[in-house]
C-alpha cells in the first residue's frame, strides 16, 4: 500500500472512532512518506486524545 492509501484508511478509521486503527495507519503512512498529510492528522488526533480540562471533570 502507498502512504496515501494508509492515510485514507486512517481517516476512515477515525470517522468510525477507531482511534488505534487511525493512529496505526497514520504511522505507516508517515513511515513511508514523512511529508504525508498523515503527520498533521496524527498530531490533531493526539491533541484530541490528550485533551484534559480539569474543570470539566470536577464540577
Amino acid at each position: 500500500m502507498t502512504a496515501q492509501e494508509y492515510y485514507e484508511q486512517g481517516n476512515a478509521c477515525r470517522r468510525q472512532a477507531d482511534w488505534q486503527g487511525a493512529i496505526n495507519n497514520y504511522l505507516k503512512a508517515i513511515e513511508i512518506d514523512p511529508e504525508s498529510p498523515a503527520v498533521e492528522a496524527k498530531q490533531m488526533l493526539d491533541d484530541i486524545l490528550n485533551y484534559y480540562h480539569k474543570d470539566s471533570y470536577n464540577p
Side-chain angles (χ1 to χ4, degrees):
M1 286 178 59
T2 67
Q4 182 65 28
E5 290 170 330
Y6 278 118
Y7 170 65
E8 291 171 2
Q9 191 170 359
N11 287 339
C13 290
R14 181 183 44 81
R15 285 191 292 275
Q16 296 174 355
D18 176 8
W19 311 122
Q20 191 60 53
I23 290 171
N24 290 340
N25 282 294
Y26 291 152
L27 288 173
K28 289 177 187 175
I30 294 167
E31 184 178 312
I32 294 169
D33 178 13
E35 301 296 319
S36 169
V39 173
E40 186 175 344
K42 183 185 177 302
Q43 181 60 49
M44 288 189 305
L45 190 56
D46 287 343
D47 289 344
I48 291 167
L49 294 174
N50 292 325
Y51 177 77
Y52 177 79
H53 188 265
K54 71 179 183 90
D55 293 336
S56 295
Y57 296 103
N58 297 312

